[in-house]
Amino acid sequence: MEFEKFILHLHPKKIDRRAVKFNRTFGLGGMLALLFVIIAFTGVILQFSYIPTVEHAYPSVRSLIEHSIFGQFIRNLHHLSAKLMVLFSFLHLLRVYYSQGIYEQRAKNWVYGLVLLFFVLASNFTGYLLPWDQLSYWAVTVITQIIEYIPFVGHHLANMVRGSEEVDGNTLINFYTLHTSILPLLFVIFMSMHFWLVRKAGGIALPKAEKSEKVDVVPNLVWVEIMVGSILIASLFLVAAFYEAPLLEQANPLKSPNPSKAPWYFLGAQELLLHLHPIFSALIAPIGLFVFLFRLPYFKYIDLNVGVWFNSPAGKTMTIQSAIVSFIFTFVLVYLLDHYLHFDTWFKTMPSVVTTGVIPMVLYVLPLGGFLLFLKKKYSATNTEVIMASTTILLASYVCMTLIALLLRAEGMQLIF
Amino acid sequence: MKFNRRKFITRLLVLVASIEAIFIVKNGVSKSQHNSSKKELFNAGKADAFEPNGLYPFTTGKFYLKRFPDGGFLAMSVKCTHLGCVVNINNKTRGFNCPCHASQFNAFGEVIASPATRPLDIFPITIEKGEILVDIAKPIKRTSFEKSQLTYV
Ligand code: HEM
Ligand code: FES
């Protein structure tokens, strides 16, 4: 059958029985690929009615909603799938990382994965501007202003992204081009590489086994894929029928809504900027995180158990404990910095780099560093587990800050408690 | 050295691509430099019309015109120095509040509540034939208010 032959271009003929199990991958990579296809289809339909100019962008979206049959539904589908893609990318990252699937021959695929994650965020962000409503205009203003904080090159970089000193028609054209042609093209190229590298590494990471039992891909794996895919599509259609993708009033550059928040996946970054001097929050922290993530598969590891969840039972305990501790600690620190610790007003004579930069940074790093040492001692852990705990701490902090900015900040960005 | 056709073609392609990339980047930047180098004078009207200690919003010019009790003028950008939202007048402090992340500025545009870290930008003012002209294409960054920033008739 043609279909069967085509499947064998994507999959090998036989794979390990354990790789078929749902809780090995949670189907996340496959669902991401499906979401990309859904987004591509709905996107092309939206493109027929969208006009990328300042005067017409908003009315064209309005008229799509009001006059096209299923216009709002298509828009909802596109919107929901894009949101899910961010979420699933993050979960997929967690899956491959914690199931120890990023080392040795898979290291390169981790790097490709990170690039794909960047594309996912970039697509979301560029798409955010297109409806040209109050939400999109001010979110993009806020984010491009964050770029301005990068020393020396920030202003030029921000101008390059905007194509202008302010968010305007040039920005809209830049974003439209990136969103509808450049990024999708890059996606196709990098996704193909990503899939090929999975196969080249001999399939997904699995623990070493005495004897591995091979099963046919058709029907074993394909059956699971079709099931997961159908459930995803059905759920999306169901939710898209009730959930409306938001559209506020048309953008007004003279009036900022209160509060103006960055898009939800950048809220963690925005939260950081509220508490830390820009040198730290817009330069040191992002670059540090960037370098750390890209180097992650290449550190020297001792006792690496590829394909074993959390590397070892101790690794699992440490991961869970560091996630909880880091989450609570970040929450408390944010609360204290908001309400009590005003170093900049206490030590007026010191430069703000110290009072709002070095001091809060030390307050974050020292206690958590101590906690890591404590974990290492207690479980006599190897560096593999300690690095995993460090990664966990960083990820949990980001999740915590995102949730605070998303749920607990109301008018004027005040904490609601 | 032996002439290597493949290497030559690869390098040529990389070179062409890099030059093109530089042009694209430069164009993106110079598009805006081109804008900011030209003077754009906003006529705010007769200087006499503004009362001392008055605060006048010019939404289309995106600035607030403040006249101090000694008669000096200051044109402050409406753009919050934190992340670029438009600040509103706070009638109690006679300064400005930002709706986005609650920064507050005093009447001189200086920060009285973070997260903003520097005062509101100002625009150069010239007074010709009694009329106030504000150069709204050139926001000037500053670290604090100084008397020299004021313009007198
Ligand atoms: C458009 C986004 C992406 C798509 C479509 C995608 C797709 C896939 C697929 C189908 C697999 C096979 C196993 C599975 O289903 O989990 C896979 C594996 C993998 N992905 Fe992704 N992925 C994406 C983004 C990412 C990201 C953001 C990362 C991490 C930074 C990543 C890193 C990896 C790695 C390291 C593997 C190999 C895991 C193993 O061998 O166990 N991918 N990806
Ligand atoms: S933009 Fe004004 S406080 Fe953030």
Side-chain angles (χ1 to χ4, degrees):
Chain A
M1 201 174 94
E2 299 294 323
F3 177 68
E4 212 163 293
K5 279 187 198 144
F6 171 70
I7 291 286
L8 292 178
H9 271 289
L10 297 171
H11 292 307
K13 211 167 161 50
K14 284 178 176 292
I15 60 169
D16 196 299
R17 179 178 281 287
R18 295 169 298 162
V20 180
K21 277 238 177 98
F22 181 70
N23 64 4
R24 207 4 76 188
T25 64
F26 301 102
L28 286 164
M31 287 199 281
L32 280 168
L34 178 58
L35 283 174
F36 179 79
V37 174
I38 296 176
I39 289 174
F41 272 104
T42 49
V44 168
I45 299 175
L46 291 174
Q47 232 180 324
F48 278 110
S49 53
Y50 180 77
I51 307 168
T53 62
V54 171
E55 302 91 83
H56 297 114
Y58 183 82
S60 72
V61 176
R62 266 258 163 265
S63 110
L64 169 86
I65 294 174
E66 276 155 20
H67 305 304
S68 307
I69 304 172
F70 291 130
Q72 176 74 25
F73 181 72
I74 297 288
R75 196 171 162 253
N76 291 348
L77 263 186
H78 195 73
H79 182 97
L80 276 173
S81 313
K83 267 192 174 155
L84 267 193
M85 204 157 170
V86 176
L87 184 66
F88 282 5
S89 299
F90 184 66
L91 295 177
H92 178 60
L93 179 150
L94 295 184
R95 194 295 278 173
V96 299
Y97 179 65
Y98 287 115
S99 66
Q100 299 291 73
I102 68 165
Y103 306 106
E104 295 154 12
Q105 72 281 41
R106 295 189 177 83
K108 199 186 262 170
N109 218 9
W110 168 256
V111 173
Y112 273 90
L114 286 178
V115 175
L116 279 171
L117 178 64
F118 173 77
F119 291 160
V120 171
L121 293 177
S123 302
N124 256 274
F125 181 55
T126 49
Y128 212 88
L129 183 67
L130 302 186
W132 204 253
D133 65 350
Q134 278 290 72
L135 197 64
S136 51
Y137 181 86
W138 290 101
V140 171
T141 299
V142 162
I143 290 293
T144 51
Q145 288 288 323
I146 292 182
I147 301 177
E148 298 252 355
Y149 275 110
I150 301 171
F152 308 117
V153 292
H155 188 62
H156 291 279
L157 207 61
N159 280 353
M160 201 179 97
V161 173
R162 284 188 299 243
S164 168
E165 290 276 340
E166 259 159 46
V167 175
D168 60 14
N170 287 351
T171 322
L172 191 55
I173 281 290
N174 276 4
F175 278 32
Y176 180 71
T177 313
L178 284 168
H179 188 80
T180 56
S181 43
I182 296 176
L183 285 165
L185 199 66
L186 289 172
F187 255 115
V188 172
I189 297 169
F190 276 75
M191 273 172 40
S192 314
M193 280 304 283
H194 195 64
F195 298 159
W196 178 68
L197 282 169
V198 174
R199 276 194 74 171
K200 189 158 167 269
I204 63 166
L206 292 167
K208 281 201 195 72
E210 303 279 281
K211 63 168 182 59
S212 60
E213 190 193 341
K214 297 267 182 183
V215 294
D216 284 326
V217 157
V218 189
N220 292 290
L221 178 62
V222 171
W223 170 237
V224 179
E225 285 178 340
I226 290 176
M227 274 241 294
V228 173
S230 316
I231 292 173
L232 179 66
I233 292 178
S235 327
L236 271 174
F237 272 55
L238 196 66
V239 179
F242 298 106
Y243 170 87
E244 306 267 290
L247 186 67
L248 308 186
E249 316 91 83
Q250 183 157 12
N252 177 359
L254 302 177
K255 188 170 175 298
S256 314
N258 183 357
S260 281
K261 294 185 180 182
W264 61 278
Y265 38 87
F266 286 143
L267 279 176
Q270 189 186 325
E271 182 68 26
L272 198 64
L273 207 70
L274 283 183
H275 301 289
L276 269 188
H277 190 277
I279 296 267
F280 283 87
S281 51
L283 192 73
I284 296 177
I287 290 186
L289 186 68
F290 196 75
V291 171
F292 180 75
L293 284 180
F294 273 97
R295 285 206 32 84
L296 204 47
Y298 300 104
F299 292 120
K300 277 229 165 0
Y301 290 100
I302 302 163
D303 287 337
L304 200 59
N305 296 320
V306 170
V308 178
W309 280 95
F310 305 103
N311 203 51
S312 63
K316 182 170 177 181
T317 319
M318 283 170 64
T319 302
I320 294 173
Q321 290 184 355
S322 16
I324 295 173
V325 167
S326 160
F327 191 91
I328 294 175
F329 179 77
T330 308
F331 191 88
V332 172
L333 192 61
V334 165
Y335 183 79
L336 291 179
L337 284 171
D338 246 59
H339 288 292
Y340 300 107
L341 306 175
H342 302 294
F343 299 108
D344 47 340
T345 42
W346 295 347
F347 310 112
K348 275 213 163 65
T349 48
M350 281 200 231
S352 61
V353 184
V354 177
T355 53
T356 62
V358 177
I359 297 178
M361 201 69 194
V362 168
L363 280 184
Y364 177 77
V365 172
L366 274 191
L368 288 175
F371 175 69
L372 272 178
L373 279 182
F374 160 78
L375 278 185
K376 185 175 156 76
K377 267 242 169 65
K378 183 167 172 204
Y379 296 100
S380 19
T382 62
N383 73 334
T384 309
E385 283 126 8
V386 175
I387 290 175
M388 187 179 273
S390 320
T391 316
T392 309
I393 285 177
L394 293 177
L395 294 175
S397 288
Y398 193 80
V399 171
C400 177
M401 290 194 301
T402 305
L403 290 179
I404 290 177
L406 185 67
L407 304 174
L408 304 180
R409 289 204 181 273
E411 220 163 81
M413 291 306 258
Q414 308 288 12
L415 281 181
I416 56 174
F417 58 94
Chain B
M1 199 185 82
K2 230 182 81 187
F3 181 75
N4 184 328
R5 176 166 40 94
R6 280 194 191 177
K7 239 188 210 153
F8 176 73
I9 293 178
T10 319
R11 289 207 181 139
L12 196 68
L13 285 177
V14 170
L15 184 75
V16 171
S18 327
I19 292 176
E20 177 61 21
I22 290 173
F23 269 103
I24 291 175
V25 171
K26 234 193 117 255
N27 236 356
V29 177
S30 66
K31 193 162 32 176
S32 54
Q33 271 168 356
H34 166 76
N35 283 343
S36 61
S37 63
K38 78 163 181 265
K39 239 182 153 102
E40 207 183 316
L41 291 183
F42 186 98
N43 190 334
K46 286 266 178 245
D48 308 337
F50 299 101
E51 310 208 342
N53 225 358
L55 180 58
Y56 304 88
F58 285 86
T59 10
T60 42
K62 297 200 177 171
F63 64 89
Y64 288 110
L65 186 66
K66 169 91 190 170
R67 187 165 202 192
F68 288 97
D70 69 349
F73 285 101
L74 189 63
M76 288 174 278
S77 167
V78 299
K79 213 167 127 185
C80 178
T81 54
H82 177 232
L83 292 177
C85 291
V86 173
V87 296
N88 302 318
I89 296 180
N90 178 342
N91 283 322
K92 262 202 239 117
T93 60
R94 308 232 77 216
F96 311 91
N97 280 21
C98 182
C100 291
H101 320 108
S103 285
Q104 292 189 27
F105 304 87
N106 65 16
F108 304 100
E110 292 174 314
V111 179
I112 47 179
S114 53
T117 49
R118 65 187 161 80
L120 296 174
D121 295 345
I122 54 174
F123 296 113
I125 297 181
T126 45
I127 300 181
E128 266 173 41
K129 296 193 203 109
E131 300 210 328
I132 300 214
L133 302 176
V134 182
D135 185 0
I136 53 172
K138 271 206 208 88
I140 297 173
K141 290 186 180 151
R142 54 185 182 148
T143 49
S144 65
F145 170 74
E146 270 150 42
K147 231 150 176 238
S148 60
Q149 291 161 357
L150 296 181
T151 311
Y152 293 89
V153 184

